């Protein structure tokens, strides 16, 4: 059994090898092209490859190996891309790991790289409430298939992602106890419901040393460094590279990174789909073409919508609902700055760990990005509240920003940059770091935002009436303030202090843009991801969107697990429709080489 830092477990060292191929090896034709490698694309690639299809994955970002992720502010800045609509500027490389799509109304945070958002998300695998799927915004045939969705499709997603809570045998986390005590301060919770409110969060993290996991990837146990949100440098996080993507490779799929899909069209002479692409951010802007019988667009709410919008610019017929039903999934971020007790909720540099031991001066590991949650979703106006450990790579702007937003520090003029962040952090002191705890709150909002396309910059942006959406956040904001108040620190809400972000609303869990519907009058795709031909009920043969962009409403929970289940359902039905046979047997019996080796 693996254990956390400071244990006597045998120390295992791991090395990792790239799995992506050189773009020069990209063939002219495949059976299946998957655009994007997030939760939707990874599932599509795995299941299509297991069905015997020749699969190609095109990923806009680069491949990240454990040990490559940023752990200092200087490293992080080099991996940020800011897309600022009002300024018509793109600052940073388009394949940067951390992407910020910014308007005056909302900032949408996404990740770019092989594995998509799984690289830098919380690793949370939570179900949304069943009542979410009773909403008639979902196609009727989906609602009729709900029992199969929540049993068969869900179990397949669990088998691959392997979620589990922070183990009881790991070191106790102070912030977990603080979350328990905060329950008593939230007025919406009835006393008799308290024992049904606090839970350890299911996490896509490996807590046991595995010389070989269920798809042949070797993984160490989590060391509790707390850097999940910046990228896991130990290899313990169950990103999609450690399960679905490697599984696809085991069954013959080929992966190419640094390749941005631009548009697509159907060649009715060869009856093949033609995907136009170019190297991401390269000087050569010429477009090349790769063909396939089946194309799965899985680039997320912004990416998938952009590809279809650019295809529409080239006279490809698609529904007028393209870009509609965007939502931020109701996210609010709050912080207790310099609380009355230590929380130890900021990441420690992985390189400081010595043979499984804590860095010098550290009294306990921070633990994963999220360890527990308060669930009040069954109440009217209900919400979910999670503790947050912020990665060490984001430490200066996070702690200084917390001090600024809570009023504990006066906002400097001009706005700080570069080493000024480090100097301001030093002035706050270690107490300000150890006693600061972030809380993330999710509540359903209305999916009435829109993803729009800017021809001049060839970028998408989000139209979002933030004032209108504040009414959805009232109860959640109140509960968040009550929880933060119980911690005894200065209270800060949202990144209002940031001169770069410029907006109050921020989301890390965007949904919609290519929503499901009964026909092209109501959605972009049908219940299994088939793309409608314009505003009709007819769909294109062999063209699908399978990712978070097809979700037509807010989920009120971290969406990654639901996206995975939804992708499993789409692939199950597509396989039935195309008469594919998917071998779901687990075990390493595929064709590919293994991604990593334990020494």
């Amino acid at each position: 059994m693996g254990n956390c830092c400071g244990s006597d477990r045998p120390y295992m060292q791991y090395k990792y090898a790239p799995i992506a191929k050189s773009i020069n090896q990209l063939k002219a034709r495949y059976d299946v092209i998957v655009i994007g490698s997030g939760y939707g694309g990874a599932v599509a690639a795995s299941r299509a490859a297991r069905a015997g299809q020749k699969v190609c994955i095109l990923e806009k970002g680069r491949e990240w190996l454990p040990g490559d992720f940023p752990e200092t502010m200087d490293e992080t800045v080099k991996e940020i891309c800011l897309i600022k609509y009002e300024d018509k500027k793109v600052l940073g490389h388009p394949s940067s790991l951390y992407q910020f799509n910014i308007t005056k109304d909302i900032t949408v945070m996404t990740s770019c790289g092989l594995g998509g958002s799984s690289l830098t998300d919380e690793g949370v695998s939570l179900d949304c409430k069943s009542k979410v799927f009773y909403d008639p915004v979902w196609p009727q045939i989906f609602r009729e298939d709900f029992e199969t969705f929540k049993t068969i499709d869900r179990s397949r997603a669990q088998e691959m992602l392997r979620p589990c809570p922070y183990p009881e045998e790991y070191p106790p986390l102070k912030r977990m106890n603080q979350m328990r005590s905060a329950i008593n301060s939230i007025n919406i919770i009835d006393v008799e419901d308290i024992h049904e409110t606090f839970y350890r969060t299911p996490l896509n993290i490996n807590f046991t040393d595995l010389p070989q996991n269920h798809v042949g990837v070797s993984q160490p146990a989590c060391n509790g460094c707390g850097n999940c949100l910046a990228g896991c440098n130990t290899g313990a996080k169950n990103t999609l590279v450690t399960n679905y993507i490697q599984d696809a490779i085991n069954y013959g799929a080929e992966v190419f990174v640094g390749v941005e899909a631009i548009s697509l069209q159907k060649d009715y002479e060869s009856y093949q789909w033609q995907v136009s692409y170019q190297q991401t951010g390269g000087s050569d802007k010429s477009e090349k073409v790769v063909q396939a019988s089946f194309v799965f667009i899985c680039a997320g709410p912004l990416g998938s919508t952009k590809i279809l919008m650019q295809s529409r610019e080239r006279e490809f017929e698609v529904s007028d609902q393209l870009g509609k039903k965007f939502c931020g999934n109701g996210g609010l971020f709050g912080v207790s700055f310099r609380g009355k007790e230590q929380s130890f909720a900021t990441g420690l540099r992985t390189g400081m760990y010595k043979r499984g031991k804590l860095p010098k001066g550290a009294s306990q590991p921070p633990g994963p990005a999220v360890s527990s949650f308060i669930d009040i979703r069954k109440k009217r106006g209900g919400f979910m509240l999670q503790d947050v450990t912020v990665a060490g790579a984001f430490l200066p702007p996070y702690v200084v920003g917390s001090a600024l937003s809570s009023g504990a520090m006066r906002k400097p003029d001009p706005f700080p940059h570069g080493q000024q962040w480090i100097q301001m952090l030093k002035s706050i002191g270690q107490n300000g770091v150890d006693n600061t705890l972030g809380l993330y709150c999710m509540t359903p909002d209305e999916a009435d935002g829109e993803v729009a396309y800017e021809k001049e910059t060839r970028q998408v942006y989000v139209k979002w009436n933030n004032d209108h959406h504040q009414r959805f956040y009232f109860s959640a904001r109140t509960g968040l303030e009550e929880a933060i108040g119980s911690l005894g620190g200065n209270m800060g809400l949202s990144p209002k202090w940031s001169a770069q972000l410029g907006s109050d609303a921020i989301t890390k869990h965007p949904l919609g843009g290519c929503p499901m519907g009964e026909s092209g009058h109501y959605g972009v795709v049908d219940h299994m991801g088939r793309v409608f031909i314009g505003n009709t009920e007819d769909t294109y043969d062999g063209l699908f969107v399978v990712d978070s962009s097809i979700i037509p409403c807010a989920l009120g929970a971290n969406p990654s697990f639901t996206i995975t289940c939804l992708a499993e359902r789409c692939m199950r039905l597509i396989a039935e429709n195309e008469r594919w046979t998917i071998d779901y047997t687990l075990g390493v019996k595929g064709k590919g080489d293994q991604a990593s080796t334990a020494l």
Side-chain angles (χ1 to χ4, degrees):
M1 173 69 71
N3 210 330
C4 199
C5 306
S7 74
D8 295 324
R9 66 181 174 87
Y11 183 71
M12 300 181 71
Q13 193 174 19
Y14 296 80
K15 65 178 182 179
Y16 302 90
I19 58 177
K21 293 193 170 188
S22 166
I23 193 171
N24 297 327
Q25 296 176 275
L26 183 62
K27 299 180 180 70
R29 187 189 176 281
Y30 293 84
D31 296 331
V32 172
I33 295 173
V34 178
I35 302 171
S37 59
Y39 286 98
V43 174
S46 164
R47 298 330 189 186
R50 279 176 170 262
Q53 303 297 303
K54 295 179 181 178
V55 177
C56 155
I57 301 174
L58 303 180
E59 167 55 48
K60 175 183 174 181
R62 57 172 278 199
E63 181 177 359
W64 289 85
L65 300 180
D68 290 347
F69 292 100
E71 290 205 344
T72 67
M73 184 177 167
D74 287 343
E75 293 170 347
T76 300
V77 169
K78 295 175 183 176
E79 284 300 330
I80 291 177
C81 179
L82 303 177
I83 302 168
K84 308 185 76 170
Y85 167 64
E86 280 86 9
D87 296 339
K88 298 189 184 303
K89 289 182 180 178
V90 177
L91 306 176
H93 196 277
S95 67
S96 296
L97 179 60
Y98 314 113
Q99 304 266 323
F100 295 80
N101 190 289
I102 302 165
T103 71
K104 62 180 178 59
D105 297 317
I106 190 171
T107 293
V108 181
M109 300 171 57
T110 55
S111 301
C112 186
L114 185 62
S117 62
S118 73
L119 297 176
T120 63
D121 67 8
E122 308 89 343
V124 170
S125 262
L126 278 172
D127 293 295
C128 58
K129 291 296 186 182
S130 295
K131 65 181 181 181
V132 169
F133 301 107
Y134 301 155
D135 191 322
V137 72
W138 297 88
Q140 182 177 347
I141 194 168
F142 176 89
R143 285 176 278 143
E144 292 172 351
D145 189 44
F146 179 62
E147 288 301 316
T148 306
F149 170 74
K150 75 176 184 180
T151 52
I152 292 177
D153 301 322
R154 183 182 183 278
S155 66
R156 287 172 178 163
Q158 279 195 311
E159 283 178 340
M160 291 298 283
L161 295 178
R162 301 288 174 102
C164 63
Y166 184 77
E168 296 282 354
E169 63 268 23
Y170 264 51
L173 301 177
K174 287 183 177 293
R175 59 194 169 101
M176 200 178 286
N177 291 329
Q178 290 171 338
M179 285 284 284
R180 282 196 188 95
S181 63
I183 294 173
N184 299 310
S185 303
I186 302 174
N187 291 323
I188 194 175
I189 302 176
D190 297 328
V191 175
E192 60 270 21
D193 292 335
I194 287 180
H195 69 286
E196 298 177 349
T197 302
F198 178 83
Y199 302 93
R200 290 184 178 227
T201 314
L203 301 169
N204 298 332
I205 295 176
N206 177 53
F207 293 101
T208 305
D209 283 319
L210 293 177
Q212 191 176 81
N213 71 5
H214 55 299
V215 300
V217 176
S218 46
Q219 290 184 268
C222 174
N223 64 2
C225 70
N227 293 315
C228 311
L229 296 176
C232 179
N233 276 326
T234 67
K237 189 177 180 184
N238 298 338
T239 67
L240 294 164
V241 177
T242 69
N243 40 71
Y244 280 106
I245 293 175
Q246 180 61 44
D247 186 67
I249 292 173
N250 290 345
Y251 283 81
E254 298 180 355
V255 176
F256 300 91
V257 297
V259 180
E260 182 175 8
I262 305 301
S263 64
L264 53 84
Q265 62 181 356
K266 190 70 172 278
D267 180 353
Y268 286 99
E269 289 187 7
S270 64
Y271 216 68
Q272 296 292 298
W273 286 101
Q274 297 186 330
V275 176
S276 298
Y277 70 91
Q278 59 187 202
Q279 289 186 267
T280 309
S283 57
D284 181 5
K285 299 299 182 182
S286 63
E287 294 183 17
K288 298 178 177 62
V289 174
V290 59
Q291 297 187 80
S293 300
F294 302 91
V295 174
F296 291 84
I297 305 176
C298 311
L302 301 184
S304 293
T305 304
K306 180 180 179 181
I307 291 168
L308 286 175
M309 285 181 168
Q310 290 183 154
S311 300
R312 185 170 61 185
E313 289 289 310
R314 302 179 183 189
E315 300 185 351
F316 182 75
E317 192 175 4
V318 68
S319 166
D320 291 338
Q321 294 300 308
L322 182 61
K324 303 295 177 62
K325 294 183 181 175
F326 174 90
C327 81
N329 203 34
L332 287 170
F333 185 74
V335 64
S336 169
F337 174 72
R338 200 179 277 149
K340 59 188 177 184
E341 295 180 357
Q342 292 173 318
S343 300
F344 300 115
T346 52
L348 300 171
R349 290 181 63 180
T350 308
M352 297 168 66
Y353 286 80
K354 303 298 181 184
R355 297 188 64 82
K357 301 295 183 181
L358 280 170
K360 183 178 180 181
S363 57
Q364 73 164 82
V370 174
S371 66
S372 60
F373 68 103
I374 297 171
D375 191 355
I376 322 170
R377 289 177 292 172
K378 69 179 183 180
K379 294 285 186 180
R380 182 177 177 83
F383 53 89
M384 179 186 297
L385 195 61
Q386 298 173 346
D387 60 0
V388 177
T389 291
V390 174
F394 310 145
L395 185 61
Y398 167 64
V399 174
V400 173
S402 298
L404 293 173
S405 66
S406 66
M409 176 181 283
R410 187 173 178 179
K411 186 174 180 179
D413 187 24
F415 195 74
H417 60 86
Q419 289 300 310
Q420 288 179 280
W421 288 106
I422 308 295
Q423 296 303 318
M424 293 173 72
L425 178 64
K426 289 180 179 178
S427 71
I428 288 172
Q430 193 61 40
N431 178 260
V433 175
D434 292 342
N435 292 45
T436 295
L437 177 62
L439 298 176
Y440 189 68
C441 183
M442 275 170 288
T443 186
D445 59 5
E446 192 171 12
D448 62 354
E450 181 179 352
V451 181
Y453 184 69
E454 170 59 53
K455 292 182 182 180
E456 182 180 341
T457 60
R458 297 182 66 186
Q459 298 290 344
V460 289
Y461 64 98
V462 177
K463 295 180 179 179
W464 180 263
N465 187 333
N466 194 28
D467 291 337
H468 163 72
H469 284 86
Q470 290 304 315
R471 61 192 176 97
F472 294 98
Y473 299 141
F474 178 77
S475 178
R477 187 183 293 270
T478 300
L480 182 59
E481 290 174 348
E482 290 167 346
I484 292 174
S486 72
L487 301 174
N490 295 73
M491 184 189 314
L493 294 173
S494 295
K496 294 181 179 179
W497 51 271
S498 174
Q500 286 291 349
L501 300 185
S503 56
D504 188 13
I506 187 167
T507 179
K508 210 171 181 292
H509 302 139
L511 305 172
C514 303
M516 283 185 181
E518 299 287 358
S519 72
H521 283 292
Y522 304 101
V524 176
V525 302
D526 71 357
H527 70 101
M528 54 192 277
R530 294 179 295 197
V531 177
F532 289 118
I533 302 174
N535 296 330
T536 71
E537 295 181 357
D538 298 326
T539 58
Y540 289 103
D541 291 333
L543 180 61
F544 310 91
V545 180
V546 180
D547 60 14
S548 54
S549 71
I550 70 176
I551 296 175
C553 63
L555 300 177
N558 307 68
S560 59
F561 187 62
T562 301
I563 299 165
T564 308
C565 297
L566 194 61
E568 286 281 13
R569 177 184 181 275
C570 288
M571 295 309 297
R572 168 173 58 85
L573 295 175
I574 290 167
E576 291 175 5
N577 195 57
E578 300 298 335
R579 298 183 180 179
W580 295 350
T581 299
I582 299 177
D583 177 7
Y584 287 101
T585 306
L586 289 178
V588 185
K589 61 175 186 177
K591 308 169 185 175
D593 295 330
Q594 302 312 320
S596 58
T597 305
L599 296 179

